[in-house]
Amino acid sequence: MGRNPVTWLGSPVFPKAAHTALADTQLRANLRKATTTIRDKRASAVAELADWEELRRAGEAIKDDVLANLDTYLLRLEESVTARGGVVHWARDAEEANRIVLDLAREHGADEVVKVKSMATAEIGLNEALEAGGIRAVETDLAELIVQLGRDRPSHILVPAIHRNRAEIREIFRREMSEAPVSDDPRELAEAARRHLRRKFLSARVAVSGANFAVADTGSIVVVESEGNGRMCLTLPQTLITVMGIEKLVPSWRDLEVFLQLLPRSSTAERMNPYTSVWTGVTPGDGPSRFHLVLLDNGRTATLADEVGRQALRCIRCSACLNVCPVYERTGGQAYGSVYPGPIGAILAPQLADDPSDEQAASLPYASSLCGACYEVCPVRINIPQALTHLRAKVVRNKGGRNPEALAMAAAAWVFADPRRFEAAQRAGSLSRLLTGAGPIGRLPWPGSKWTATRDAPSLPKESFRLWWRRNRG
Amino acid sequence: MSNPRVALFATCLTDTLYPETAKAVVRLLERLGCTVDFPLEQTCCGQLHFNTGYADEARSLAHRYAEVFEGYDYVVAPSGSCAGMVRETHPGLCGSSVPVERTFELSEFLVDVLGVTDVGAYFPHRVTYHPTCHSLRMLGVGEKPLRLLRQVRGLELVELPQAEQCCGFGGTFALKNAETSTAMLADKMRCVQDTGAQVVTAGDNSCLMHISGGLSRLRTGVRGIHLAEILASTEEQPWVATP
Ligand code: SF4
């Protein structure tokens, strides 16, 4: 098995990547503006529903049932898709999935495929794999197209080009399109993209999509989107290949009711998303005449085995957690070095990568202040802070006990294990350094220097509280 | 309720670096008719370890906590994050529920258990309140600290813009991701300064250590003071800065 491309090869550990991102003032301004707007809109869209908490719990329960009975539901899905004329493929990892799609595209004589925005195909690096096989993949989602034309990397689940502003986008279009936009007015930019894509839609024979949901009972695949470009891909080409993670299932048609309320309000703050496309196998004379479904594992079964970590697989990729995350707001998505950035990325990417030697992945669970804003907004109640601390414990176990941090933690635990030692440490002043990485105000040696670079440290009191208590009350 | 027996859980940080906060809790609770004890066997709730990924160390500290505080009616901590650690995480770590259910963050204890919002305090300053993340989201203390502050005589309460945003402390996050932490702090400080307040208060000395550390570095003249110290302050015994 090859390396799982869910984390980008050569990405630095999070603090290093953050250092670069934090220095980019344009990036920070773009991000702050975008996240603040969507945050406020989401809050009011959610406040409209009196039963939001019940919906969240229903979403959580349905997904937990899916995860607990994944094998049964997957077989049911395969059966129903096949019965309706679709073909199901199983892919253990990225390499297998890419190979399947490449072979199918070749088989149908395509040298270009149009794509509906899809996290799963980004996760496996499908575009690059197709490119290497001589097939061009054309992203048709506006934001995804901007990233593709800018030879850039995505920085958001829903709005991959969130880190770009209008002027930057116009510049990219001017460079890459035969008919460049005349101004950076959003309508002009959208129009330029539309003209650019129109030709692609009409000539493409093969389309590749992801899936937001798949209904096990009926074999129906659901894609929700805002622009309608996806719908063109889903109806015009003769062959449709859908790549989806095995956790994207819901048992029955009825369950969709819950998610079609949770998803749009959480992601775009809309009551209902503009385009919901559903297809079930093939229908003669209507839409694609060939349908292939690639079911992707790529680390998911391993994730499922972890009792605490598996809740990440409930994720419906709404991106609400990114939009409220104070760390994401400052660093942007690329600092996470994965197609899954932000709080969900911090718990999902290291689990899918499943590689204890990957230091970049191991830095992700620490890319959080554990403020809990992500958990509060998550429509399927993924307790991200809980998963983060759980994964940190895993990182610590993998590292073993022979590094400065582990030694400091062991020393602190030894001190806290006995109040007499605790008191002695307080008297010696050494504990304050352990607790805060600091001592008296001023400059401190490492790691305290990381504190005092930007913050004064409290000065040590003349006596600790316990000494005072003993003197006065004991 | 007459004379509830309260154990003060000072938390390792407050005990060591902010003894005035713990003294303030004692003074305040006794003024309100509680019998306060400080079991000297206490040390730390284990949050530092747990949040950094050292769950085994945290587990034995959770056991110690359960033993030390077993016999009390109530345990009160001047820290939303430590009270949150005890209530939310200890049960999963060590299964003990007796002191866990009786552990309260200070403002919860005052409002929910003692049923008071006017604690007879006097504090003639312009104050803004930062609701720390764990008080806000883990414990859901909501308006309680504000209800207490509104009753303090002489105090002018000013609203903090973007109050619910994390200050960027996050325990070892402040060291491991020092630059991101500082970027978050910078925004928090700007919001604090925009209020024109002389004092920023909160229910947690850890976040306050971070915020006032930044404010002091920039020589802003704005001071961080724990909620307990404001509530303990009276006309007869006003709050005084420790040297
Ligand atoms: S973790 Fe929750 S909030 Fe974040 S993208 Fe997934 S479903 Fe949305």
Side-chain angles (χ1 to χ4, degrees):
Chain A
M1 194 178 90
R3 185 188 160 274
N4 188 339
V6 67
T7 52
W8 299 326
L9 193 64
S11 285
V13 293
F14 187 83
K16 265 220 173 98
H19 171 81
T20 315
L22 286 165
D24 185 341
T25 48
Q26 183 66 64
L27 172 82
R28 281 181 67 185
N30 294 352
L31 281 167
R32 176 199 289 254
K33 187 158 180 278
T35 54
T36 312
T37 312
I38 184 78
R39 212 157 43 213
D40 297 346
K41 281 213 259 171
R42 189 213 72 102
S44 45
V46 161
E48 286 178 355
L49 293 188
D51 61 346
W52 184 253
E53 271 319 300
E54 282 88 349
L55 276 170
R56 285 177 84 208
R57 286 184 191 273
E60 174 187 18
I62 295 168
K63 280 285 180 181
D64 275 350
D65 168 51
V66 165
L67 294 176
N69 302 292
L70 195 57
D71 45 354
T72 316
Y73 289 127
L74 279 171
L75 290 176
R76 194 178 298 167
L77 178 73
E78 180 179 37
E79 218 172 278
S80 42
V81 168
T82 313
R84 297 295 302 263
V87 183
V88 174
H89 310 257
W90 299 81
R92 237 169 321 176
D93 55 23
E95 218 173 293
E96 263 185 32
N98 288 334
R99 162 71 37 202
I100 293 167
V101 178
L102 181 63
D103 287 350
L104 287 170
R106 280 190 178 141
E107 206 175 289
H108 297 297
D111 57 4
E112 187 167 278
V113 301
V114 286
K115 284 189 69 201
V116 188
K117 178 184 173 319
S118 143
M119 293 308 295
T121 61
E123 172 190 323
I124 58 177
L126 177 68
N127 292 8
E128 295 72 19
L130 288 176
E131 190 95 41
I135 293 176
R136 240 183 349 271
V138 179
E139 294 292 350
T140 64
D141 172 86
L142 181 55
E144 199 71 59
L145 179 70
I146 294 165
V147 170
Q148 186 177 43
L149 294 179
R151 291 180 193 83
D152 198 357
R153 272 172 163 166
S155 63
H156 192 273
I157 292 179
L158 200 77
V159 203
I162 197 169
H163 57 298
R164 298 291 201 179
N165 63 23
R166 287 188 291 167
E168 293 170 293
I169 293 167
R170 185 192 181 199
E171 204 34 54
I172 294 170
F173 281 9
R174 194 149 52 185
R175 227 175 30 228
E176 300 291 327
M177 287 177 178
S178 49
E179 282 178 79
V182 291
S183 78
D184 66 2
D185 180 73
R187 249 174 315 156
E188 279 295 329
L189 295 174
E191 183 54 30
R194 207 174 69 91
R195 280 195 305 265
H196 176 83
L197 290 172
R198 180 56 46 113
R199 281 188 294 275
K200 308 282 183 192
F201 287 133
L202 293 174
S203 63
R205 290 200 235 171
V206 175
V208 176
S209 87
N212 289 95
F213 305 99
V215 182
D217 279 353
T218 61
S220 310
I221 312 292
V222 184
V223 159
V224 297
E225 43 138 2
S226 302
E227 291 165 13
N229 288 336
R231 176 157 295 182
M232 306 279 265
C233 301
L234 299 168
T235 47
L236 290 175
Q238 274 168 3
T239 302
L240 173 57
I241 306 170
T242 297
V243 182
M244 77 170 224
I246 52 173
E247 83 284 17
K248 298 257 114 184
L249 278 170
V250 295
S252 74
W253 189 253
R254 271 196 57 186
D255 301 314
L256 283 178
E257 178 223 5
V258 172
F259 296 105
L260 293 181
Q261 294 184 72
L262 287 174
L263 181 56
R265 283 181 202 259
S266 300
S267 58
T268 48
E270 287 165 309
R271 298 187 175 104
M272 192 181 172
N273 63 286
Y275 294 89
T276 303
S277 302
V278 185
W279 64 101
T280 311
V282 289
T283 310
D286 184 15
S289 54
R290 284 177 295 262
F291 170 56
H292 294 271
L293 178 62
V294 182
L295 294 170
L296 174 74
D297 186 322
N298 206 37
R300 285 163 174 77
T301 335
T303 304
L304 201 55
D306 185 317
E307 266 174 56
V308 179
R310 74 165 64 126
Q311 57 186 316
L313 296 178
R314 291 208 294 264
C315 178
I316 56 172
R317 314 279 189 259
C318 72
S319 73
C321 58
L322 279 64
N323 300 331
V324 297
C325 177
V327 173
Y328 177 89
E329 183 183 326
R330 270 84 188 179
T331 64
Q334 294 178 348
Y336 294 78
S338 161
V339 288
Y340 299 113
I344 182 62
I347 61 169
L348 188 61
Q351 293 197 89
L352 294 182
D354 197 22
D355 177 2
S357 70
D358 183 343
E359 283 189 34
Q360 191 267 335
S363 72
L364 293 178
Y366 291 94
S368 165
S369 64
L370 302 179
C371 79
C374 48
Y375 180 26
E376 193 174 56
V377 297
C378 178
V380 285
R381 290 174 42 88
I382 300 175
N383 189 337
I384 297 178
Q386 182 195 41
L388 286 166
T389 51
H390 173 76
L391 294 174
R392 289 176 185 187
K394 222 166 156 176
V395 171
V396 164
R397 273 198 305 278
N398 285 336
K399 272 199 304 204
R402 302 220 153 267
N403 55 76
E405 178 189 284
L407 293 173
M409 285 290 162
W414 183 79
V415 164
F416 288 145
D418 181 338
R420 275 160 297 274
R421 287 181 211 145
F422 181 46
E423 198 174 308
Q426 283 180 329
R427 279 182 204 266
S430 55
L431 192 71
S432 62
R433 275 185 285 278
L434 258 180
L435 286 176
T436 64
I441 296 176
R443 292 201 182 282
L444 289 158
W446 188 92
S449 56
K450 293 193 172 233
W451 180 274
T452 52
T454 54
R455 292 155 287 212
D456 285 342
S459 44
L460 263 187
K462 281 202 286 293
E463 65 180 353
S464 69
F465 175 70
R466 70 179 53 228
L467 284 180
W468 177 87
W469 179 271
R470 215 206 309 276
R471 220 161 36 78
N472 290 279
R473 307 292 187 97
Chain B
M1 182 179 311
S2 60
N3 289 328
R5 269 189 79 227
V6 180
L8 165 62
F9 172 47
T11 81
C12 61
L13 182 80
T14 290
D15 184 358
T16 307
L17 290 174
Y18 298 97
E20 295 312 315
T21 301
K23 289 180 212 168
V25 178
V26 176
R27 190 140 63 91
L28 175 64
L29 292 181
E30 288 180 344
R31 191 166 85 214
L32 297 170
C34 302
T35 309
V36 182
D37 192 12
F38 177 77
L40 282 157
E41 290 290 302
Q42 65 178 282
T43 58
C44 168
C45 66
Q47 192 186 183
L48 170 77
H49 287 94
F50 185 80
N51 285 353
T52 315
Y54 295 81
D56 291 339
E57 288 84 348
R59 186 168 300 115
S60 50
L61 290 170
H63 278 294
R64 148 170 291 281
Y65 182 92
E67 276 164 34
V68 172
F69 292 104
E70 179 106 56
Y72 292 91
D73 297 339
Y74 300 102
V75 186
V76 174
S79 159
S81 65
C82 301
M85 171 73 191
V86 171
R87 284 229 299 267
E88 292 297 310
T89 314
H90 277 197
L93 275 177
C94 73
S96 177
S97 66
V98 181
V100 166
E101 287 162 10
R102 298 184 196 149
T103 297
F104 294 89
E105 180 270 343
L106 179 65
S107 72
E108 288 180 315
F109 182 74
L110 296 173
V111 176
D112 293 347
V113 182
L114 296 186
V116 289
T117 48
D118 185 346
V119 296
Y122 172 74
F123 191 80
H125 301 281
R126 195 177 162 95
V127 176
T128 194
Y129 169 74
H130 167 62
T132 61
C133 297
H134 289 179
S135 298
L136 185 73
R137 302 197 180 89
M138 210 181 237
L139 293 177
V141 302
E143 288 271 297
K144 286 161 206 165
L146 293 171
R147 286 171 63 194
L148 290 158
L149 285 168
R150 281 190 204 114
Q151 302 292 330
V152 175
R153 271 165 287 286
L155 187 148
E156 186 195 348
L157 187 63
V158 280
E159 198 185 322
L160 182 66
Q162 294 170 56
E164 301 196 350
Q165 275 248 348
C166 178
C167 69
F169 173 63
T172 40
F173 174 77
L175 301 180
K176 280 178 178 281
N177 282 286
E179 289 181 81
T180 309
S181 166
T182 296
M184 289 158 72
L185 172 62
D187 291 340
K188 182 58 73 180
M189 290 195 295
R190 184 160 0 90
C191 291
V192 169
Q193 287 186 277
D194 282 352
T195 65
Q198 303 148 316
V199 170
V200 53
T201 190
D204 220 311
N205 273 328
S206 51
C207 310
L208 274 177
M209 178 175 74
H210 171 73
I211 298 171
S212 19
L215 291 167
S216 140
R217 174 59 56 91
L218 298 183
R219 307 283 179 266
T220 59
V222 185
R223 197 182 249 288
I225 299 177
H226 194 284
L227 179 69
E229 295 178 46
I230 293 179
L231 298 181
S233 167
T234 57
E235 233 151 322
E236 298 74 45
Q237 238 185 314
W239 183 87
V240 275
T242 41

